[in-house]
Amino acid sequence: MLEKLAKQTAVYGISTILVRFLSYLLTPFYTRVFGPETYGIVTEVYALIPLALTLLTMGMESSYFRFTARVESETDDREERRRGKERVFRTTWGSTSLAALTFFGLVLILAQPISDWMGAAYTSHPEYIAWVAAIVLLDVMTAIPAAKLREENRALHFVAIKLLSVGLNVALAFAFGLAGLFESDFGVGWVFVANFVGSLAALLALLPATGWLWPSIDRKLLGRILCYSLPLLLGGLAGTANEFIDRQLIKWLVPEGAMAELGIYGAITKIAVVMMLFYQMYRLAAEPFFLSNFKKEEFKEMNAAAMKYYLMASMLIFLAIALFRDLFALIVGRDFREGIYILPVVLASNVLAGVWLNLSFWYKREERTSLAIVVTGAGLLVTLPAGFALIPSLGYYGAAWMRLISELTMVGVSLYLTRRFYPTPYRWGRILEYVATALVLYAAAEWLRGLLAEQWVTIYSLNALLFAAYGAYLVKRENIDLKGMAKSLLKRK
């Protein structure tokens, strides 16, 4: 069964790399078109959008996976199963669409007050808020149809639509830049117009994939789904707040040049692209996989193995980026590179996010979703005091450490809950060995960097040797058959 997860992760991985590569072309472009202060607007807005998406999707993606799996297990008749899955799809899509339309209407009415509250950069452009609300509307309406493709293992179809959306966004952004539109009074607003067109294309492309089913709400079914999803919503809001609050605290707590620091911080976090790619492709494959129906012990064994391999891959990626961070810094404009020293901290936070993702599958499977509130709430409780303590004096460096402390807290709480309520045979000795070895190698590389000053050829040669040694160590320690694994992943189902 883990072979299936590996194959799905590989499919999502290759395709997600393509999608994200296109998307991340915008980072070097925007950080050369806009200064740090103007790019701070992009950073802030794209940190707020996930919060709105989390609120309006209401945990319905996980609910869709879980309730369709329940229909599969409880119904033997093929026609009844089809109708049951359709009811789940229509109801989850209908409820999220209704929430999104309501949100969009309220934002249009309150666009000016919202702009005034967000600060001087937005006051003269309330239309920015309207365009962003329209993007949120479209993205929420695509969430459940996209989840349907994932549930049906139609990964290539899912990715083709993502490529269409992102490709349009990127193409329009470059076209707007060449036309000089970013220098107009509307300025950074053209970033949101390009995104809107891409999101609209995704929604239109997804409609045939729905089987031309339309949103509707079965109230009785919705009640059952909400009992499952509302704890995920509350937990998701706390978790997403942990993700975006660092940007808001930089904006409000840094004494001078806050928007410029926000722009630098946003640009550097974008450099952690490879780690985020891996996290995203793993989440896309693992969520529907682990929320399917497995025997309890089988689930535990697979989840334990998945955790180990996730961390092995994550530490390889961590070293690949952290050891060569000066080269990755060239992705962003010169004015943004001063913040590159926070990159290892950002990478570590992203690794931990994947750890507690793994630790969340059991309570989603067991429908004890209220525990999500405990985990993410604990992270948020730590985030706020850490932010107020660190950011006023350290700026975006303090924000990076605040995020790491929050992720560590959520992993710690998740581990406690797992050990108490759902003991799983994670191989912590082996896992900690791999993590510690990677960190020791990174520390050694930093020490050598200090000794060798700016002898970059020697530094990078030694770093490449350290990275290769770590990869060889993992292969030998786990007795991994690289040829066999490659053939397995490439083998057609």
Side-chain angles (χ1 to χ4, degrees), residues 58-78:
M58 300 181 288
M60 288 292 176
E61 289 172 291
S62 292
S63 299
Y64 174 74
F65 294 135
R66 187 62 191 143
F67 277 78
T68 51
R70 183 184 289 180
V71 169
E72 287 277 359
S73 65
E74 294 177 353
T75 309
D76 293 327
D77 182 76
R78 180 178 296 179

Side-chain angles (χ1 to χ4, degrees), residues 481-489:
D481 178 5
L482 293 178
K483 289 183 179 180
M485 186 172 67
K487 288 179 181 179
S488 176
L489 292 176

Side-chain angles (χ1 to χ4, degrees), residues 9-289:
T9 302
V11 171
Y12 281 118
I14 295 168
S15 50
T16 302
I17 287 170
L18 292 174
V19 171
R20 291 289 180 174
F21 175 75
L22 285 175
S23 180
Y24 278 95
L25 286 176
L26 295 176
T27 299
F29 178 60
Y30 286 152
T31 55
R32 287 165 173 82
V33 171
F34 303 122
E37 191 167 331
T38 304
Y39 189 71
I41 296 174
V42 178
T43 298
E44 181 177 19
V45 166
Y46 281 98
L48 289 171
I49 285 177
L51 183 67
L53 294 178
T54 301
L55 175 64
L56 299 172
T57 54
M58 300 181 288
M60 288 292 176
E61 289 172 291
S62 292
S63 299
Y64 174 74
F65 294 135
R66 187 62 191 143
F67 277 78
T68 51
R70 183 184 289 180
V71 169
E72 287 277 359
S73 65
E74 294 177 353
T75 309
D76 293 327
D77 182 76
R78 180 178 296 179
E79 182 61 24
E80 187 177 345
R81 184 187 303 153
R82 181 188 64 80
R83 289 197 300 268
K85 292 176 74 171
E86 282 186 3
R87 278 195 301 273
V88 173
F89 174 74
R90 287 177 183 271
T91 299
T92 50
W93 193 19
S95 56
T96 53
S97 298
L98 179 61
L101 288 167
T102 303
F103 167 84
F104 180 64
L106 287 173
V107 170
L108 287 185
I109 295 169
L110 301 172
Q112 189 63 60
I114 293 171
S115 299
D116 294 339
W117 173 75
M118 290 186 68
Y122 302 88
T123 299
S124 58
H125 291 287
E127 66 273 21
Y128 289 175
I129 306 303
W131 278 104
V132 172
I135 293 168
V136 170
L137 169 66
L138 294 174
D139 287 352
V140 172
M141 292 188 72
T142 60
I144 301 302
K148 186 174 188 292
L149 290 180
R150 290 165 59 196
E151 187 269 331
E152 294 171 350
N153 294 323
R154 297 164 68 185
L156 293 178
H157 195 162
F158 172 87
V159 172
I161 291 173
K162 285 285 187 183
L163 280 170
L164 170 67
S165 175
V166 173
L168 271 175
N169 187 358
V170 173
L172 285 173
F174 281 103
F176 292 160
L178 291 173
L181 295 179
F182 292 129
E183 299 171 8
S184 66
D185 181 60
F186 189 52
V188 74
W190 290 105
V191 172
F192 310 135
V193 174
N195 192 332
F196 171 83
V197 174
S199 295
L200 179 60
L203 178 60
L204 295 176
L206 275 167
L207 291 179
T210 67
W212 299 106
L213 299 172
W214 293 101
S216 63
I217 297 176
D218 181 321
R219 293 185 181 182
K220 184 177 179 180
L221 176 60
L222 179 61
R224 292 165 54 208
I225 289 175
L226 288 175
C227 288
Y228 177 87
S229 68
L230 285 181
L232 290 177
L233 167 61
L234 296 175
L237 285 174
T240 308
N242 284 326
E243 296 283 338
F244 94 94
I245 204 168
D246 49 359
R247 277 79 162 176
Q248 291 299 303
L249 290 178
I250 290 172
K251 178 180 176 180
W252 298 110
L253 296 181
V254 171
E256 294 181 8
M259 290 302 287
E261 289 221 8
L262 182 59
I264 293 170
Y265 181 75
I268 298 303
T269 57
K270 288 284 189 180
I271 296 177
V273 52
V274 180
M275 186 65 75
M276 287 308 297
L277 284 174
F278 178 63
Y279 171 81
Q280 288 292 337
M281 73 187 196
Y282 179 75
R283 183 185 66 81
L284 289 171
E287 193 169 42
F289 177 81

Side-chain angles (χ1 to χ4, degrees), residues 386-446:
F388 279 97
L390 298 173
I391 292 175
S393 57
L394 299 177
Y396 56 75
Y397 188 61
W401 278 102
M402 176 197 74
R403 171 85 186 284
L404 181 62
I405 292 167
S406 174
E407 297 289 353
L408 273 170
T409 301
M410 289 189 285
V411 168
V413 173
S414 297
L415 281 172
Y416 169 77
L417 293 172
T418 302
R419 291 190 66 177
R420 180 170 180 180
F421 299 113
Y422 204 82
T424 302
Y426 295 113
R427 299 190 63 185
W428 291 116
R430 185 68 64 91
I431 288 171
L432 291 174
E433 174 190 327
Y434 294 154
V435 172
T437 302
L439 293 178
V440 167
L441 290 176
Y442 173 68
E446 288 298 291

Side-chain angles (χ1 to χ4, degrees), residues 299-308 355 358-362 414-415 418-419 422-431:
F299 171 87
K300 287 183 176 183
E301 290 172 6
M302 288 189 298
N303 189 244
M307 174 74 85
K308 182 182 69 172
V355 173
N358 265 291
L359 293 169
S360 74
F361 289 133
W362 74 263
S414 297
L415 281 172
T418 302
R419 291 190 66 177
Y422 204 82
T424 302
Y426 295 113
R427 299 190 63 185
W428 291 116
R430 185 68 64 91
I431 288 171

